[in-house]
Every structure is written in C-alpha cells, then in structure tokens.
Amino acid sequence: MRKYIFFFVAFLCITNQTKAQGFASTETSTEIAEATTEFTLNKIGDNGFKFETLTTGINSKYADYGSGLFMDKFISFSARKIGALSRKDPATNEPYTKLYCSDILENYDLTRPLLFSSILNKNENLGTVSFNQEGNVMYFTKNKDGDTQHFEMYRAELNPEKQGEWINITPLPFNSDWYSVENPHLSKDGKTLYFASNMPNSKGGFDIFKVDVKSANEYSEVTPIEGLINTEKDEKFPHLSYDQKFMFFSSKGHDNIGGYDVFKSRRTKKGYVTILNLGNTINTEKDEIAFVPATERIGYITSNKDGGYGNHDIYRITEYVLKQTVSGKALDFETGIPLANAEVKLIDTDGTEVANMITNEKGEFNFPISSFEYYTIVSGKEGFYKGSTIFNTDNRTPQYEADVTLKAIPAPIVVEEEKTYIKIDNILFDYDSARIKEISKITLNKVVATLKENPEVSVALGAHTDFRGNDAYNMHLSDRRAASAVKYLLSKGISKDRLTWKGYGESEPVIDCRPCTEAQHETNRRIEFIIVTETN
C-alpha cells in the first residue's frame, strides 16, 4: 500500500472583503468596473502568452486553493466539509481550511485529496506551505489564535523516526500581533524564504518580502523583494519558476484585467524590474492566485472565475511556447566581411553561458533562445579583439537577428636574427590574378594598423608565387600582386615613402618541393612585409 507524507498550506485572507476567503474584487461601481475591465482586456490582450486551462478532479463546492508540490504530490488547502460536525470559520461561514495531499496523474490531473496531517489540521485556517528540497523541513501558515483572518508563519521538521509526523513546530521571529505573515515560498537551495505581509514598511496593503535563511532558528533582516514587483496595492503568493529565473506572483497593483491577476518577472542584477501580466488566456476579471509550476510548461492555478464548482477552484494549465531562435554573423568591424571559424557564445540575463558554437564558412551562427531574456552574444577569433552585442526577447517574435562585429588586432612585429617582419596570414588572390580577395583585406588592415601605431617603420613588400607557371610569367604576376598590396595600403593613408615593393616570382620558395602539395603551394604563394628601417 502506498504511503503518503502529508504537508499543509496556510490560507491567506484580506480583511473587510467578501466571503470568498478575502480574494474577491472590491470595485465601488459595477459600471466603472465593467468599463475598466473592457479597456484593460483590450490593452493587455493575451500578451503573447498562450495557456490551456482545464479543471482538476479535486474541486468541491467549497473553497479549494493550490499551494505547491511535495515529493511528487500536489498540496492544497480547502474548506471542504469533513464529517457532519465540521466547525465553520465565522468570518467566511465555511469550514476551516485544512491541508490535503493528492497524487499527480500522468496528464497532471489530480486524484481525490486526502488529509495531510492530523497534527496540523485542527480548528483553524491553514494556508500556503513550502518545503526544502530534501522534504524534511516545512514552512507553513495558520491563523493566529482568536483571529481567523490574521496569519503567522511557522517552521516544522519531519520526524525521521515516524513517517508523516511533523515536529519542532516553531513560529518565525518576524510574526507580529499587528500584521499578517503569509504565503511562504522557499528557494530550491533553501537559502531564501519569500512571503507576503502587510507589515508597516510595505508600500501599501500586502507586499512580497524575503529573508535569508541562515540556520534553523536564525534569519536575516526582513527586506522587500528587489525591483518593481511591490505596489501600493496587494501582491501575494510568490513562487519561483521551475528554473528559478522567474518569479510568479498575484497582484492587484499592476495592469490588471480584474481582481488579482497572475504575473511573472525575470530576475536580473537590478531585481525584478520587468513585470508581465500572463494575459487573458489565464487571467480573468475575477481573482487568479497561487500559480504553482509543476514543470517548465505545466502548472496549477487557483481562481474564483465563473463556471467553477465552488468558491475558488484549482485548475491545471499548460503553456504553449513559441519556438524562438537568434541567428547572425560574426563580421570584421572595418570591412563587414563575414568571419569563418569564430567562436560565438550566448550569455543569458544571469551572465551564464547557455550555448556556444563556431561560425561556418559564411560566418553564420544560430541558437535556440527563450522568451524574456536579456542576451549577450560574445564572439572571439584569433587575431581579433572580442566583440559583443546585446538584445532582449519577448514571447511573440520567432526569429531574431543579431550580428556581432570584431575589430582586428594590429599585426605583430617579429624580430628574428636574420630579419624583422610584420607577421600576417597569407594574402590571397584570385587564381592567375593580382586582384586581392575580399577576405585578405582584413589581413592588410592589420598591417595598416601596425604601420599607423609605428610611424617610424618602413617596409619592403616581397611578393612570391608558387612553382606553377613559367619563370617569366610568375615574376610578372608577383610584381602585379605586390603593386596591388601597395595600392591598398596607400588607399588607407600609408605614405608612399614608407613602402618599397618587388616581385620575386618563384625564386625564393619557403618550401623547395617538386612536386608540391596544394598546402605547400599555398605556403610558397605569399607576400612578406620586411621592416627595412626602424629609428627611435
């Protein structure tokens, strides 16, 4: 028989609102609300988000709320009636909310909920819970004694000697008689605890706060979450995304369709600064709360929208994500010529390298990307300074283009016993031609940079051919190629009196080969830049 380990969630209310456990809308005029909703729906639209929303098998005629996952099970808290003598919360006229546990089926529907813990489920409202990765530490909320609408957070440990029993139940040090502390959510690494509270330093109503978890009984000072999430209205139900890069939360204070809407925000070095309404394929004019991701694309949400079974219901959701890519080229900064065999790296918002590749012969690269990221593309190649470009993504654009340019490093001067020269790659020409290939203009630009950095240097250009062709023809061809290289340097502002040139034909091979391979021919077919004068 399968054993269950139960956990519980603490329900959060807002005082002076309706029976719907404090989450209903509070517009003062039906006409104003309807006009505002229509305007907001048109303004927000679907925001590019596409969700399929289906009911789950655990909803009742009472209020049901999703909370989170625990050991591959779904945890909820509900006012469903258990037994004929269930006591009611006088503030809601429904039974007290208790914690429940459901199996998750292959299609992510949920099985009939079972009570989570007899130790925790008493005559009080329980709410949102959160667990560490090992599943042996739990943070939960329950109402304060004597006030069913005022909540506090607690820490509990799983008894290692008795399955399913929670012990060492301890109130957190920042609970207060003057404000509620609700909706705990623990980061995967267990180092940060997020929660909602209407404590005095909130911007207005409930805000999202955090503390560093230093030990079982020690926490840092409470601080508001960084960025723009908190507003003068209510923000609740913080929950990090499956990959921990985004925060989901419910808010009345940002651009809303109505009541609480669910939002997401990408974590950046400046905090959570871009706030995104998940759009009208998930949000309605009613309240959407408690977004709980189960995978990167599947999760659960709680809503009191029309057509449900009871007060609030739990829905399973699937997000359909647009496939997105970025493509571009690595280009030489001065000429715009594509650079083959350049390394390209894709860096995400957190500064993490998420992909890398080498450009093809056309200098091209292509990466799959994700929405709502600030990407940096960094490229490098031997003989070039690194180049980078930045772009950000939405969830509507399938294809991005982002070229990156690299500036050539000046060619080095090499001093050897027999000669001093400027070291470069071979200058390439079309076959049987003195026309410089486009790619070799990059190499010549490196020579230009070196000469401009060393104005005292003069060079002698020596052009050489391979052994193919007769001697006289090769001599003439090498003269023409030397003259072409000089003409290019002159066009870039190098003074003619710093340059001499001569064609040597095939008379001074680097490799004396008969016959020669194609690689040996290429080595012999070259232009050398010999430094002939250098004064200090």
Side-chain angles (χ1 to χ4, degrees):
M1 179 176 178
R2 174 176 288 178
K3 295 183 179 179
Y4 293 87
I5 300 176
F6 296 100
F7 98 149
F8 80 79
V9 276
F11 156 66
L12 312 175
C13 300
I14 302 174
T15 57
N16 301 322
Q17 295 189 16
T18 70
K19 291 181 180 180
Q21 297 270 357
F23 297 120
S25 206
T26 57
E27 303 295 346
T28 59
S29 165
T30 301
E31 290 81 6
I32 292 175
E34 290 177 350
T36 302
T37 297
E38 182 178 0
F39 172 78
T40 307
L41 277 167
N42 291 333
K43 179 174 63 173
I44 293 176
D46 63 15
N47 273 5
F49 294 98
K50 302 291 183 183
F51 289 94
E52 179 187 38
T53 304
L54 299 171
T55 189
T56 60
I58 67 171
N59 293 316
S60 70
K61 66 178 183 179
Y62 298 98
D64 300 293
Y65 302 91
S67 179
L69 305 179
F70 175 60
M71 293 189 174
D72 298 323
K73 299 184 184 297
F74 184 79
I75 307 303
S76 60
F77 59 104
S78 172
R80 67 181 63 232
K81 191 174 181 180
I82 303 296
L85 300 177
S86 293
R87 292 183 59 187
K88 290 184 178 181
D89 178 355
T92 65
N93 201 34
E94 287 195 343
Y96 289 99
T97 53
K98 300 181 184 298
L99 291 168
Y100 293 86
C101 178
S102 300
D103 284 338
I104 301 173
L105 301 177
E106 288 185 3
N107 66 350
Y108 288 90
D109 198 1
L110 305 172
T111 62
R112 183 175 66 88
L114 302 175
L115 281 171
F116 178 68
S117 170
S118 59
I119 294 176
L120 301 176
N121 283 321
K122 298 179 180 179
N123 290 321
E124 56 194 359
N125 285 319
L126 296 176
T128 319
V129 298
S130 187
F131 299 86
N132 66 353
Q133 284 290 91
E134 294 74 22
N136 57 12
V137 173
M138 172 177 63
Y139 292 90
F140 67 94
T141 50
K142 71 179 183 68
N143 67 256
K144 188 176 185 296
D145 291 343
D147 188 348
T148 62
Q149 304 300 292
H150 183 119
F151 290 88
E152 299 175 325
M153 284 201 306
Y154 291 78
R155 182 184 186 276
E157 297 175 354
L158 189 63
N159 187 346
E161 298 179 357
K162 189 174 182 180
Q163 183 121 15
E165 181 182 46
W166 294 93
I167 59 175
N168 300 329
I169 299 175
T170 308
L172 297 192
F174 38 87
N175 290 331
S176 171
D177 291 337
W178 307 107
Y179 53 81
S180 286
V181 182
E182 314 174 358
N183 303 145
H185 177 68
L186 188 65
S187 61
K188 277 187 177 180
D189 61 12
K191 295 180 179 180
T192 306
L193 179 66
Y194 301 92
F195 59 92
S197 177
N198 59 344
M199 61 180 54
N201 61 333
S202 64
K203 286 188 176 181
F206 281 83
D207 280 358
I208 296 174
F209 295 87
K210 69 172 188 174
V211 292
D212 295 331
V213 180
K214 296 182 177 180
S215 67
N217 300 304
E218 185 180 5
Y219 302 87
S220 70
E221 180 182 356
V222 174
T223 59
I225 191 172
E226 303 93 336
L228 304 177
I229 284 180
N230 292 325
T231 69
E232 293 181 356
K233 296 186 179 180
D234 292 333
E235 282 74 41
K236 286 191 170 188
F237 298 97
H239 204 300
L240 293 173
S241 61
Y242 194 76
D243 60 9
Q244 304 283 283
K245 291 182 178 181
F246 293 88
M247 175 164 284
F248 295 101
F249 64 98
S250 293
S251 172
K252 290 185 174 182
H254 295 281
D255 285 339
N256 280 40
I257 294 174
Y260 280 99
D261 279 4
V262 176
F263 296 80
K264 71 184 295 187
S265 182
R266 177 68 161 91
R267 183 190 67 243
T268 70
K269 293 179 180 178
K270 296 181 180 180
Y272 295 90
V273 294
T274 301
I275 312 299
L276 303 160
N277 187 303
L278 293 190
N280 62 16
T281 62
I282 190 170
N283 288 318
T284 70
E285 66 275 12
K286 296 297 181 68
D287 294 317
E288 279 69 44
I289 57 175
F291 189 104
V292 178
T295 71
E296 290 185 359
R297 303 303 175 203
I298 298 174
Y300 302 90
I301 193 171
T302 300
S303 175
N304 64 349
K305 65 182 179 179
D306 296 339
Y309 286 91
N311 186 321
H312 281 75
D313 290 320
I314 300 167
Y315 298 86
R316 68 185 192 272
I317 55 176
T318 301
E319 182 180 7
Y320 295 94
V321 179
L322 180 69
K323 182 179 180 180
Q324 295 175 292
T325 60
V326 60
S327 61
K329 294 181 179 180
L331 303 171
D332 175 63
F333 174 79
E334 187 166 346
T335 66
I337 294 172
L339 298 174
N341 300 317
E343 183 182 29
V344 185
K345 298 179 179 180
L346 185 67
I347 312 295
D348 70 6
T349 306
D350 299 323
T352 302
E353 180 183 325
V354 294
N356 66 78
M357 66 174 299
I358 302 298
T359 58
N360 62 18
E361 66 277 3
K362 296 181 180 179
E364 297 169 331
F365 60 85
N366 183 280
F367 295 111
I369 54 176
S370 301
S371 58
F372 306 117
E373 290 279 3
Y374 293 88
Y375 282 113
T376 302
I377 297 175
V378 179
S379 183
K381 181 178 171 67
E382 185 177 0
F384 292 83
Y385 297 110
K386 286 186 177 180
S388 65
T389 189
I390 298 173
F391 71 101
N392 61 291
T393 61
D394 55 30
N395 63 343
R396 299 173 181 266
T397 307
Q399 177 65 51
Y400 288 85
E401 294 184 2
D403 294 337
V404 58
T405 56
L406 288 73
K407 188 173 179 62
I409 298 172
I413 294 175
V414 177
V415 179
E416 294 181 351
E417 185 175 345
E418 64 276 10
K419 62 182 178 182
T420 300
Y421 61 95
I422 299 175
K423 183 180 180 181
I424 59 168
D425 295 330
N426 270 350
I427 306 297
L428 304 178
F429 297 88
D430 290 331
Y431 176 72
D432 196 25
S433 171
R435 181 178 176 274
I436 299 170
K437 286 191 173 184
E438 286 296 307
I439 191 66
S440 285
K441 290 180 179 179
I442 299 174
T443 303
L444 286 172
N445 286 338
K446 294 182 179 183
V447 175
V448 171
T450 301
L451 292 175
K452 288 183 176 181
E453 284 188 355
N454 299 275
E456 73 284 359
V457 168
S458 296
V459 295
L461 280 75
H464 304 264
T465 67
D466 57 38
F467 290 117
R468 291 173 291 192
N470 63 59
D471 293 354
Y473 181 83
N474 282 341
M475 189 66 72
H476 176 65
L477 179 60
S478 62
D479 277 332
R480 291 167 54 214
R481 287 178 172 175
S484 291
V486 168
K487 182 179 180 181
Y488 186 86
L489 298 181
L490 294 176
S491 74
K492 295 297 182 179
I494 303 302
S495 174
K496 186 176 181 179
D497 60 13
R498 299 176 64 191
L499 306 171
T500 59
W501 62 96
K502 181 179 179 181
Y504 292 91
E506 60 187 67
S507 63
E508 297 184 3
V510 174
I511 304 173
D512 192 359
C513 50
R514 308 291 177 93
C516 300
T517 65
E518 187 56 43
Q520 290 170 326
H521 281 311
E522 184 177 342
T523 300
N524 286 331
R525 190 171 59 245
R526 69 198 187 279
I527 292 181
E528 295 178 333
F529 292 81
I530 307 300
I531 295 176
V532 293
T533 62
E534 185 173 3
T535 60
N536 296 324

